[in-house]
Amino acid sequence: MPDNKKFYTLFDNENGNSYEIPVLDGTVGPDVLDITNLYKESGLFTYDPGFTSTASCKSKITYIDGEQGILRHRGYDIKELAENSNFMEVCYLLLHGDLPSTEDQNKFRDAITNHTMINEQLMFLYRGFKRGAHPMAIMVGVVGALSAFYHDSTDINDPNQRMIASHRLIAKMPTIGAMAYKYSIGQPYVYPKNELTYSENFLNMMFAVPTQKYKVNKVLAKAIDKFFILHSDHEQNASTSTVRLAGSSNANPFACIAAGIASLWGPAHGGANEAVIKMLSKIGSKDKINEFIEKSKDKNDPFRLMGFGHRVYKNYDPRAAVMKKTAHEVLEELNIKNDPLLEIALELEKIALNDEYFIEKKLYPNVDFYSGIILKAMGIPINMFTVLFAIGRTAGWVSQWKEMIEDPIKKIGRPRQLYIGENTRSYKPEEKREKISLFKRLWFK
Ligand code: ACO
């Protein structure tokens, strides 16, 4: 019997064997069955597509209670962080485990500020992309290519190199993202400026041009900073799990973050904020809302209400509440009165939150529902929305990667499977094979 106080017994009806499965306690949240030795002891695997019931690691970084709508980083509530903190401080918190002292904050800010430029040689890589390439395609390529430039921070076993790589990634992401945008519209790149804050610097690199002075609007920079905070980490989501899995083979951090960016690009994950704006534009007017709500409930129609529902939150996404308030602040600052998209969004939210189907399935607005409205009002092009998500999430990716590398029980990630293919069979000579081409059957149904 295991030493743990609590365990579950798995009973095999067929042969009468039983196996003790220890239970692990977290600080908060559900208990976890420790099946590490299950295969060795019983010859059994577990089956959990989409990891809906599987904890892939132990982590001290982020806690989510989806039923209650709680999100905390290192114990601090997301609402409190968004209202009182700034993105640099949150990056420090995620990476190091606590809020920085004034001295540490200054040192960290300096470290990030002094890594914002990218190697000039990388400009040639940008030139290789077709104009109009999706900026996320450029991000995957350029971030992956960083490992070809920063050899002095790819030794994952050296804590100092791990730290420098983390700083470089957080610092260079806004530069790489803004350059992808400038390249796509054929404008000259704008170099980073050290006197600006992280978020001001990003807006400057996005919107300044050499021909005239550009003054960053403080309210908009604050809104972008909040956006980065709200997207900074979200425990073991698809892109973070991708970063951890890639890193588990000891791959270098730049390659791992490029893998995370590729995963984030999908519309079911980071691409949803783009999809929300397209959907609100398609709805077009308030009187069409009911039609779209009905469409989203129709089992025979693949349409879903974008910005609604979440794998983990079965309550109002706490990030959506902050985004909603920020959306109003941004529209007021820009003097956008009666924004039709916001009006449709507010009405849609009201109707959906009172609809039986959405109540029963616990479908609430997620963070993407309001973030697109803010970004669009600020003049950020729709295909850059996911790039902004990637910039914010880099803080979480590098923190989770660092935690994994420093975990004494780190193992290469290697899931198993339930094999359902052919059992063993003998090689069939060509003349005895089926007449209908397998290729045709598979591809031209
Ligand atoms: N509109 C209408 N019905 C929905 C929606 C929606 N947005 N989301 C879920 N449902 C329904 C499903 O059809 C399903 O119905 P059923 O039980 O009758 O089969 C039920 O609610 C449960 O949904 P699942 O798809 O099983 O939930 P899952 O956890 O797999 O999906 C997801 C979560 C992918 C986020 C889903 O809610 C969705 O597609 N939402 C729209 C896209 C979106 O906003 N994504 C952003 C996620 S947040 C982020 O990445 C930052």
Side-chain angles (χ1 to χ4, degrees):
M1 188 182 296
D3 292 341
N4 301 53
K5 281 187 231 105
K6 205 171 155 191
F7 59 88
Y8 277 72
T9 304
L10 183 69
F11 191 72
D12 186 335
N13 282 330
E14 255 176 47
N15 59 24
N17 289 340
S18 65
Y19 308 96
E20 310 297 2
I21 304 180
V23 176
L24 305 177
D25 287 333
T27 320
V28 269
D31 288 346
V32 169
L33 298 180
D34 178 1
I35 56 159
T36 322
N37 292 318
L38 184 66
Y39 178 62
K40 205 159 60 185
E41 287 170 10
S42 68
L44 292 167
F45 290 147
T46 53
Y47 175 63
D48 182 18
F51 301 108
T52 52
S53 302
T54 297
S56 61
C57 62
K58 289 182 185 171
S59 180
K60 293 179 177 171
I61 301 175
T62 291
Y63 173 70
I64 302 176
D65 181 334
E67 295 298 326
Q68 304 290 325
I70 291 172
L71 166 62
R72 293 186 205 128
H73 297 312
R74 304 282 191 184
Y76 294 102
D77 191 80
I78 189 64
K79 188 165 175 274
E80 240 187 296
L81 289 173
E83 278 169 5
N84 303 307
S85 187
N86 59 68
F87 184 58
M88 274 303 86
E89 206 176 61
V90 172
C91 288
Y92 184 99
L93 175 70
L94 292 172
L95 261 175
H96 298 293
D98 218 335
L99 290 168
S101 64
T102 308
E103 192 191 340
D104 286 342
Q105 167 121 253
N106 291 339
K107 272 195 196 154
F108 185 70
R109 222 178 267 279
D110 274 1
I112 300 301
T113 307
N114 288 310
H115 280 111
T116 48
M117 283 198 295
I118 61 167
N119 189 300
E120 200 69 8
Q121 189 76 8
L122 273 163
M123 306 283 173
F124 294 105
L125 188 59
Y126 277 84
R127 271 195 230 161
F129 287 101
K130 197 176 154 190
R131 294 259 179 214
H134 197 290
M136 282 298 275
I138 300 181
M139 296 297 282
V140 175
V142 177
V143 174
L146 294 179
S147 43
F149 287 85
Y150 301 104
H151 295 146
D152 58 343
S153 54
T154 51
D155 179 359
I156 62 130
N157 296 313
D158 177 344
N160 196 40
Q161 292 202 25
R162 288 202 295 272
M163 194 46 61
I164 295 171
S166 303
H167 292 166
R168 281 184 166 144
L169 279 156
I170 292 171
K172 292 180 200 309
M173 283 291 280
T175 315
I176 295 170
M179 282 174 65
Y181 171 59
K182 288 293 194 193
Y183 181 80
S184 73
I185 57 168
Q187 280 188 4
Y189 302 130
V190 175
Y191 284 85
K193 269 191 178 166
N194 284 4
E195 77 259 24
L196 299 176
T197 67
Y198 189 87
S199 301
E200 288 169 355
N201 185 42
F202 174 66
L203 287 180
N204 191 62
M205 290 188 292
M206 280 287 292
F207 296 119
V209 284
T211 46
Q212 62 191 66
K213 264 201 160 165
Y214 175 77
K215 195 166 177 299
V216 181
N217 179 314
K218 298 272 177 201
V219 175
L220 303 191
K222 187 91 196 124
I224 287 289
D225 209 69
K226 271 193 191 153
F227 177 95
F228 289 152
I229 293 175
L230 295 176
H231 289 80
S232 60
D233 194 52
H234 213 227
E235 54 125 293
Q236 308 312 319
N237 56 84
S239 57
T240 303
S241 299
T242 303
V243 169
R244 278 188 179 255
L245 195 57
S248 76
S249 71
N250 295 349
N252 77 70
F254 304 106
C256 297
I257 301 305
I261 295 170
S263 167
L264 185 75
W265 193 0
H269 191 6
N273 49 16
E274 206 174 316
V276 169
I277 291 296
K278 287 182 181 154
M279 177 193 76
L280 293 176
S281 311
K282 208 165 153 193
I283 294 176
S285 61
K286 285 197 219 168
D287 55 309
K288 288 273 188 64
I289 291 175
N290 277 324
E291 189 187 310
F292 278 82
I293 291 201
E294 289 312 311
K295 211 167 131 61
S296 79
K297 297 193 296 195
D298 182 354
K299 280 266 153 279
N300 301 315
D301 192 324
F303 174 77
R304 281 183 164 197
L305 219 50
M306 287 291 132
F308 271 80
H310 194 277
R311 169 60 64 80
V312 181
Y313 293 120
K314 302 303 167 201
N315 203 323
Y316 208 97
D317 178 343
R319 302 166 302 172
V322 181
M323 280 279 101
K324 183 175 177 177
K325 189 164 167 259
T326 312
H328 286 288
E329 286 161 10
V330 166
L331 294 177
E332 195 174 312
E333 175 65 18
L334 294 172
N335 207 14
I336 302 176
K337 300 225 163 60
N338 312 324
D339 177 63
L341 288 192
L342 183 68
E343 279 182 15
I344 296 169
L346 287 172
E347 190 63 20
L348 180 65
E349 183 189 11
K350 203 158 68 186
I351 298 175
L353 286 176
N354 288 304
D355 189 288
E356 235 354 272
Y357 173 94
F358 285 82
I359 295 169
E360 191 219 317
K361 295 191 185 305
K362 299 186 175 173
L363 299 169
Y364 292 87
N366 57 50
V367 67
D368 294 317
F369 190 65
Y370 284 106
S371 62
I373 292 172
I374 298 176
L375 302 182
K376 186 174 172 289
M378 289 169 72
I380 310 259
I382 291 182
N383 65 2
M384 280 294 288
F385 287 6
T386 319
V387 172
L388 270 89
F389 190 158
I391 295 172
R393 186 53 58 85
T394 299
W397 287 333
V398 293
S399 305
Q400 299 268 354
W401 169 79
K402 176 178 175 284
E403 184 180 64
M404 180 199 62
I405 300 289
E406 291 169 5
D407 188 339
I409 57 159
K410 169 186 169 290
K411 274 186 163 68
I412 184 166
R414 177 55 173 95
R416 300 305 302 262
Q417 62 172 11
L418 175 67
Y419 177 70
I420 55 165
E422 299 283 352
N423 208 337
T424 182
R425 48 184 177 165
S426 303
Y427 182 78
K428 210 186 262 179
E430 202 174 327
E431 63 279 9
K432 293 203 172 153
R433 291 177 208 163
E434 277 184 74
K435 290 248 171 3
I436 309 154
S437 143
L438 188 61
F439 179 78
K440 252 191 172 168
R441 264 197 284 146
L442 290 176
W443 295 95
F444 304 105
K445 274 184 196 154

